[in-house]
Amino acid sequence: MEQLSFSFIIPVYNRPDEIKELLDSFLKIPGNYEIVIVEDGSTEPSENVIQQYKEKLNISYYFKENTGPGDSRNYGMRKAKGNYFIILDSDVLLPSNYLVEVKQFLENNYFDCYGGPDSAHESFSNLQKAINFSMTSAITTGGIRGGKKQVNKFQPRSFNMGISKRAFEQSGGFGSIHPGEDPDLSLRLIKLGFQTALIPEAIVYHKRRISWQKFYKQVNKFGMVRPILNLWHPNSKSIVYWFPSIFCAGLVFSIALALLSITKLPLILYLAYFLIAFTLSFVVNKNFIIALQSIIAIAIQFFGYGYGFLKSMFYIVLLNKVPKEVFPHLFFEKKHV
């Protein structure tokens, strides 16, 4: 294995404040590495912010037309000088030991693609911490996003993902779908013979500047994308992806049974689940308000994802429609620049 040379690839779209916070966290990360920031056609560019860090960090900055995060990452990887690319979202913060953990893991157990977990920083808002709990807890996602147990082969997420230059060149990088471009790339890499891995210690703090409405829209898109990925990669299918839809249908049915005075047992079981989730969130966050908001976040996540999943299954599987024609908002026009 050749000596590792790291390039961080960060697409940004109208988020100069996020870039400033991310670059502040880089100041605490030792080592020789390159930071490649790709401005994806922003109307609020980050160039003035980045200029403040030019003498402190090794930064390359590029501005291009808006073609989506996947294509922007590909653009950045083509421009990068390193032989191993670390892809981050602009709304993350890095702990000071991040690169040490990645380098140590890859030197001892080399993989051409890795992913790491996301977590909430103590400085985050209550809403951000509640959504983080919903998105990362074993009682909700089951560790799909970076827990100890995985669904089939681990599918790294692009908020915290590494890929070797060799794997990027052979795979062609990210496709035009969004969201879902990261598991799509992971599954294509596995087909090419590359292996993916989770680095549990390579944690990022994922800030998620988001509202309840935006959160619903995000998870709804996640649900719509999954049947498309299953169509493209049949080996990735799993009953686990049905769980949010089954959960929501069961909850509605349980409420109906209780209202009709048939039985209250199923509804009691659901209430017990939410009570357990509330308790776990309270233990993790030590905050009553965050624990309550976590219940709201879980409900939004399950219903948003579940509805999107069923809608996509109806059109893609049952009606055999072409994904890009039915859901054009899930695709960017991929450019080669």
Side-chain angles (χ1 to χ4, degrees):
M1 182 185 72
E2 62 181 323
Q3 185 174 357
L4 293 172
S5 173
F6 294 101
S7 293
F8 286 88
I9 312 297
I10 307 163
V12 60
Y13 181 72
N14 290 340
R15 300 291 179 87
D17 292 341
E18 283 184 357
I19 284 296
K20 185 179 189 309
E21 293 181 343
L22 176 53
L23 292 178
D24 279 338
S25 70
F26 269 110
L27 295 176
K28 300 177 182 178
I29 297 180
N32 296 318
Y33 52 86
E34 174 191 24
I35 303 170
V36 179
I37 298 176
V38 180
E39 195 88 60
D40 186 26
S42 299
T43 56
E44 299 177 42
S46 306
E47 186 172 12
N48 290 338
V49 171
I50 293 166
Q51 286 296 332
Q52 302 172 26
Y53 295 85
K54 282 281 191 177
E55 295 183 1
K56 303 173 185 177
L57 297 167
N58 178 19
I59 302 177
S60 299
Y61 173 75
Y62 301 95
F63 188 99
K64 52 175 276 301
E65 64 180 308
N66 178 237
T67 57
D71 197 48
S72 296
R73 297 182 192 112
N74 293 343
Y75 182 98
M77 287 186 280
R78 286 193 291 270
K79 296 291 187 181
K81 300 177 179 66
N83 59 23
Y84 208 102
F85 309 132
I86 299 177
I87 298 158
L88 303 174
D89 279 354
S90 62
D91 62 349
V92 304
L93 304 175
L94 297 178
S96 58
N97 66 331
Y98 178 87
L99 191 57
V100 171
E101 297 291 351
V102 170
K103 186 177 180 181
Q104 180 176 311
F105 182 93
L106 293 178
E107 287 178 345
N108 294 329
N109 311 275
Y110 183 78
F111 286 82
D112 282 284
C113 181
Y114 79 84
D118 56 342
S119 185
H121 192 267
E122 60 182 11
S123 65
F124 288 4
S125 70
N126 287 353
L127 178 60
Q128 289 166 336
K129 290 177 180 177
I131 290 176
N132 175 78
F133 176 83
S134 178
M135 293 288 283
T136 61
S137 174
I139 201 173
T140 54
T141 62
I144 293 174
R145 293 173 60 87
K148 299 294 184 181
K149 295 180 181 180
Q150 306 305 329
V151 177
N152 299 333
K153 295 284 187 177
F154 179 53
Q155 300 166 20
R157 300 301 197 264
S158 52
F159 60 78
N160 181 13
M161 177 182 185
I163 178 174
S164 69
K165 183 176 181 179
R166 181 172 72 103
F168 165 65
E169 291 176 342
Q170 290 193 29
S171 66
F174 293 95
S176 60
I177 194 170
H178 177 73
E181 71 275 18
D182 29 17
D184 171 55
L185 174 56
S186 301
L187 292 165
R188 286 190 284 110
L189 287 171
I190 292 169
K191 287 180 182 178
L192 290 170
F194 295 103
Q195 295 296 313
T196 62
L198 167 70
I199 306 181
E201 294 76 22
I203 296 172
V204 300
Y205 301 118
H206 203 172
K207 195 152 193 176
R208 293 193 186 91
R209 284 183 172 83
I210 205 165
S211 63
W212 290 127
Q213 183 179 11
K214 290 179 180 178
F215 182 51
Y216 174 84
K217 184 177 180 180
Q218 181 186 57
V219 295
N220 184 246
K221 285 185 176 180
F222 288 161
M224 285 189 281
V225 159
R226 180 50 61 178
I228 299 174
L229 295 176
N230 291 344
L231 176 68
W232 293 348
H233 310 284
N235 290 337
S236 70
K237 292 179 181 179
S238 171
I239 187 63
V240 171
Y241 300 127
W242 282 89
F243 283 179
S245 303
I246 296 170
F247 179 94
C248 295
L251 179 56
V252 172
F253 187 62
S254 298
I255 293 172
L257 290 176
L259 291 175
L260 293 171
S261 300
I262 297 174
T263 177
K264 294 181 180 179
L265 180 58
L267 184 58
I268 291 172
L269 293 176
Y270 272 95
L271 292 175
Y273 168 82
F274 284 115
L275 179 60
I276 292 170
F278 174 89
T279 304
L280 290 175
S281 179
F282 184 80
V283 169
V284 170
N285 295 292
K286 297 176 176 60
N287 185 296
F288 183 82
I289 300 300
I290 296 174
L292 283 177
Q293 289 182 320
S294 295
I295 301 304
I296 299 172
I298 291 170
I300 291 174
Q301 180 176 323
F302 282 1
F303 275 92
Y305 184 101
Y307 173 66
F309 182 85
L310 290 177
K311 180 180 179 180
S312 186
M313 286 292 293
F314 175 76
Y315 284 104
I316 303 303
V317 178
L318 191 62
L319 299 185
N320 198 28
K321 297 289 186 180
V322 177
K324 195 170 183 179
E325 293 178 359
V326 181
F327 304 114
H329 61 292
L330 299 178
F331 294 85
F332 281 89
E333 288 299 324
K334 192 173 181 181
K335 308 289 184 180
H336 296 284
V337 287

